[in-house]
Amino acid sequence: MKEISNKGVLYLPIVVSFIYLNFTMFLYEFGPWDWHTQNKFATYSYLYLYLVFLLLGFIWGVKKNLKTKEIFLNKRDFKIPYKLIIIFSIFMIIFNTVTIIRNLGLIGFSFSEILEQVSLGISDPGDQYYKKLTVDKSNAIGGSIFTFTSVILSPFTWAVLPLAFYFWKSMNKISKMIFIIAIVSECLKWISIATNKGIFDILIILSSILLLLRANYNKKEKTQNKLKLKLNGIKVLFILTLYFVISFFAKNISGRISGNFKALQYNTEINFSSILFYIIPDSMHPLLLALSSYLTQGYYAFSISTNLKFPNTLGFGNSVFIQENMKSIIGSTFLDSTYQMQLLNYGWDPNVNWHTFYLWIGNDVSLIGVPIVMFIIGFLFAINWTECIIKKDLISIISLPFWFILIFYIPANNQIGQSPYFFIPFFFWISLFIIKKYFVLKKVEI
């Protein structure tokens, strides 16, 4: 087992997560939107209880993992996966190209038409966003066969970004070139329909790998020169990506609401006395309002839910993907009483507004049961992180960004369960990670 010279890096993700989630709660309470919180004491008691259990799970996971020494059964984990990156990148390019054609309602491949739509996605994202909602996909190219194939292979297309970001400096020219085409196609897929989510996800994956590289960097070791170059390159890419994401988000939201910020007023109004309006320049107030709405509205829905009845959805209410599949099998029945559906009576639309990750999990375990789930998440997150630090095996690196994405979207929803393109890769790689960690490798306590 690799010796950790700086034990502080083992807790880096939970520190970042804590800062971020506390920031979103600060934004909810003191930000530019005047949310009328229901049952304030109960709301904040629950929210901080969840954070404490997330922290405790992470701490226990780190300490537990450091007590075991594992015997490797396969040494190929340390080789750079050129072939995997190339093959998975080719899958991504093919699927993204077909998806763009389907999303835009095109009859076949037309490079000029795709470029035109991408250009509109950049110049007028608001109009392009609403256009995607009217596209007839009944006769989309590939049909259900393409959908099924792309979902089945989604765990492998998911693996492209974390692997390529991590091994970028050591990749050969061919794999770099193919990956660049793949990530461009991924960006074009989301830009062409003016959707923020996919661009944010790329930034989160990049951020998680950057954090991992930073944790592995030791200035005292001369052998770290290559890692330092890789780290600097990733930092530059991160800054450029962050700038693009913020610019794209600001322009997209502005286009959707046509400058009318009342469109973002969900059961609230603008709090012009917020200290943030005095700190942040006037030119950035629209961006502040949009980001704050996205990051805080879920907490308002959560506060209302403290008055609602526990729906007890028996393990099927924690995600949109599972709910939709269950409804197609057994009908609506008990899924009609989820927190999200109950909130309709308060003018909170499940198809428009956020509810927090906690409420989605709460459908199955109740609000008082959520701490147990948060503890498990913290524990598995810590195990995954420490495996990346100690062994740097492929499965751990591929799995790591899932936890960062899950935590980033906690104020909004259960992003992992929103669609099969997230749920299937998550289930596949996390299951593989757990199987390898606890059933394939021999462990001895030290």
Side-chain angles (χ1 to χ4, degrees):
M1 178 179 282
K2 173 185 172 182
E3 289 295 327
I4 307 296
S5 58
N6 180 11
K7 296 293 178 67
V9 301
L10 295 174
Y11 299 95
L12 196 54
I14 198 63
V15 171
V16 172
S17 300
F18 240 66
I19 292 173
Y20 165 71
L21 291 173
N22 275 280
F23 168 74
T24 61
M25 287 191 285
F26 170 85
L27 201 58
Y28 173 72
E29 185 65 32
F30 302 104
W33 296 104
D34 187 17
W35 299 107
H36 302 295
T37 306
Q38 308 293 311
N39 297 323
K40 183 169 284 192
F41 178 77
T43 296
Y44 281 105
S45 295
Y46 275 126
L47 293 178
Y48 278 104
L49 181 66
Y50 301 159
L51 290 187
V52 167
F53 271 77
L54 177 68
L55 174 64
L56 292 176
F58 194 94
I59 293 173
W60 189 53
V62 170
K63 293 185 179 299
K64 179 73 174 176
N65 208 27
L66 291 180
K67 289 181 180 179
T68 60
K69 180 183 289 185
E70 297 172 349
I71 302 172
F72 288 89
L73 300 181
N74 187 350
K75 295 183 179 179
R76 288 182 295 174
D77 284 329
F78 298 101
K79 290 186 178 180
I80 299 171
Y82 296 122
K83 292 182 180 179
L84 286 180
I85 292 174
I86 291 174
I87 294 171
F88 294 168
S89 293
I90 291 173
F91 283 156
M92 177 182 276
I93 294 167
I94 294 172
F95 290 141
N96 284 344
T97 302
V98 176
T99 300
I100 291 172
I101 293 172
R102 288 162 62 95
N103 287 342
L104 297 178
L106 303 179
I107 299 175
F109 179 80
S110 171
F111 189 70
S112 60
E113 183 70 17
I114 290 174
L115 283 182
E116 181 181 346
Q117 296 299 322
V118 169
S119 177
L120 289 172
I122 296 174
S123 61
D124 192 0
D127 184 60
Q128 195 70 0
Y129 175 81
Y130 288 111
K131 276 184 180 179
K132 80 170 183 179
L133 303 178
T134 61
V135 172
D136 180 13
K137 296 183 180 180
S138 58
N139 296 313
I141 183 174
S144 58
I145 295 177
F146 170 79
T147 302
F148 177 78
T149 305
S150 60
V151 168
I152 292 299
L153 294 178
S154 60
F156 308 110
T157 54
W158 160 270
V160 173
L161 296 184
L163 285 180
F165 286 148
Y166 187 85
F167 291 106
W168 174 258
K169 190 63 182 178
S170 305
M171 286 164 56
N172 57 36
K173 291 182 180 180
I174 295 176
S175 55
K176 282 183 177 180
M177 181 181 67
I178 295 176
F179 170 69
I180 289 173
I181 297 173
I183 195 171
V184 168
S185 72
E186 179 71 10
C187 291
L188 294 182
K189 179 179 72 175
W190 297 104
I191 294 172
S192 64
I193 55 174
T195 302
N196 301 310
K197 178 203 162 322
I199 306 298
F200 273 111
D201 291 345
I202 293 173
L203 180 63
I204 297 169
I205 295 171
L206 181 60
S207 301
S208 65
I209 298 301
L210 178 61
L211 203 64
L212 177 58
L213 292 173
R214 181 65 187 86
N216 280 326
Y217 176 62
N218 186 344
K219 292 180 180 179
K220 295 181 180 180
E221 296 182 15
K222 295 181 180 179
T223 56
Q224 295 292 301
N225 288 335
K226 287 186 177 181
L227 182 56
K228 182 178 180 180
L229 290 173
K230 183 195 296 186
L231 186 59
N232 290 336
I234 293 290
K235 281 181 180 178
V236 172
L237 180 60
F238 171 79
I239 293 171
L240 294 175
T241 305
L242 179 63
Y243 175 78
F244 173 77
V245 168
I246 293 176
S247 300
F248 181 72
F249 175 80
K251 192 167 186 178
N252 193 350
I253 296 301
S254 179
R256 289 188 202 178
I257 64 177
S258 301
N260 178 21
F261 286 96
K262 289 185 177 181
L264 295 174
Q265 291 182 207
Y266 303 115
N267 295 14
T268 186
E269 55 275 335
I270 297 176
N271 176 20
F272 289 103
S273 62
S274 170
I275 188 174
L276 296 179
F277 278 128
Y278 298 96
I279 298 174
I280 296 175
D282 292 350
S283 60
M284 295 185 68
H285 285 179
L287 177 61
L288 172 65
L289 287 166
L291 273 175
S292 297
S293 178
Y294 268 61
L295 292 175
T296 63
Q297 60 178 274
Y299 291 130
Y300 172 71
F302 181 88
S303 76
I304 299 175
S305 73
T306 58
N307 293 318
L308 303 180
K309 181 182 178 181
F310 168 45
N312 191 13
T313 49
L314 305 174
F316 301 113
N318 59 78
S319 77
V320 172
F321 175 67
I322 294 177
Q323 284 191 31
E324 289 179 348
N325 280 276
M326 286 304 299
K327 286 180 180 179
S328 66
I329 297 172
I330 63 174
S332 299
T333 60
F334 61 93
L335 292 176
D336 289 335
S337 63
T338 62
Y339 284 121
Q340 289 73 27
M341 296 304 293
Q342 291 182 61
L343 283 166
L344 268 173
N345 298 324
Y346 296 83
W348 207 255
D349 191 337
N351 297 315
V352 175
N353 303 115
W354 300 134
H355 302 80
T356 74
F357 172 81
Y358 309 130
L359 273 193
W360 285 97
I361 300 302
N363 285 330
D364 294 333
V365 300
S366 80
L367 299 185
I368 198 63
V370 172
I372 299 173
V373 177
M374 297 306 294
F375 184 89
I376 295 171
I377 289 172
F379 176 79
L380 291 175
F381 188 11
I383 297 294
N384 199 157
W385 172 258
T386 51
E387 291 291 286
C388 288
I389 299 293
I390 295 167
K391 295 196 298 243
K392 305 175 185 172
D393 68 289
L394 299 186
I395 295 176
S396 298
I397 293 169
I398 293 170
S399 303
L400 183 65
F402 284 120
W403 304 111
F404 284 92
I405 288 175
L406 185 154
I407 287 174
F408 177 81
Y409 285 101
I410 277 179
N413 57 18
N414 178 12
Q415 189 59 216
I416 298 299
Q418 283 297 101
S419 79
Y421 294 101
F422 252 81
F423 182 82
I424 299 299
F426 176 80
F427 183 81
F428 178 87
W429 288 112
I430 298 301
S431 297
L432 206 59
F433 169 76
I434 292 173
I435 290 170
K436 181 177 181 182
K437 172 67 180 174
Y438 293 103
F439 300 100
V440 176
L441 298 178
K442 297 178 181 179
K443 299 182 286 294
V444 294
E445 294 291 328
I446 58 172

